[in-house]
Amino acid sequence: MKTGVSPPVGGNSAYFNNSTSTYLTVGAAADYNWFSAMNESWTFDGWLYVSNVTGTKALLTKGTNNSTMAAPLIFLSGSTLQCNVYKSSTYGSGGSATKSGVTATTWQHVMVTYDNATRELKVAVGGAFGSAGAVDASSNFSTVNGQLLTVGRFSDAYLPMDGYMAQ
């Protein structure tokens, strides 16, 4: 954690300095196969503090920034939090949801939810949800073997995060 910037809860955060060499990986094990999880409901939530709201910053991804991605990709595009569900280069986009309102140099609660019963993907910033996005049938999803679950950039060193993330 960088001195002087503490998250509103928990006291710990990960600092990403807009460098492609500053990131976290979780692994490529089957436990992190997000498309198995598309048959279940799930939520990712935490706190975000960005240095600026310019450009695009990858927050949580599995795959690379090309046709080898096959997972929900959570990123910040300007001041808009976005989750795009990619199915592979063969099937393309499987759905997306966005919510604007991320501001620089302040902690904000962010959340991405997926409801398997309704196949709705939602994104929230500061407790306010954007419009729900429909996700295609999971039978079209393919898993990219060997891709890492990466926090703070794409696994191919693209779109680094600039700021802090906390759970």
Side-chain angles (χ1 to χ4, degrees), residues 124-135:
V125 174
F129 281 94
S131 298
V135 175

Side-chain angles (χ1 to χ4, degrees), residues 53-161:
V53 289
T54 58
T56 302
K57 300 160 181 54
L59 304 179
L60 183 66
T61 65
K62 185 170 182 178
T64 60
N65 190 41
N66 59 37
S67 61
T68 65
M69 60 186 150
L73 307 174
I74 302 170
F75 59 97
L76 187 63
S77 178
S79 64
T80 301
L81 183 65
Q82 199 162 350
C83 182
N84 289 346
V85 180
Y86 288 96
K87 299 185 291 184
S88 76
S89 60
T90 304
Y91 295 113
S93 179
S96 65
T98 63
K99 175 64 176 133
S100 61
V102 174
T103 57
T105 66
T106 186
W107 282 102
Q108 291 181 283
H109 183 253
V110 295
M111 185 168 30
V112 177
T113 65
Y114 172 69
D115 184 333
N116 182 50
T118 61
R119 304 203 68 76
E120 284 185 334
L121 185 66
K122 294 181 184 177
V123 176
V125 174
F129 281 94
S131 298
V135 175
D136 289 346
S138 62
S139 61
N140 290 332
F141 291 129
S142 65
T143 300
V144 177
N145 295 326
Q147 295 296 323
L148 298 174
L149 184 62
T150 305
V151 180
R153 71 167 207 194
F154 275 105
S155 62
D156 61 347
Y158 190 64
L159 301 177
M161 169 60 180

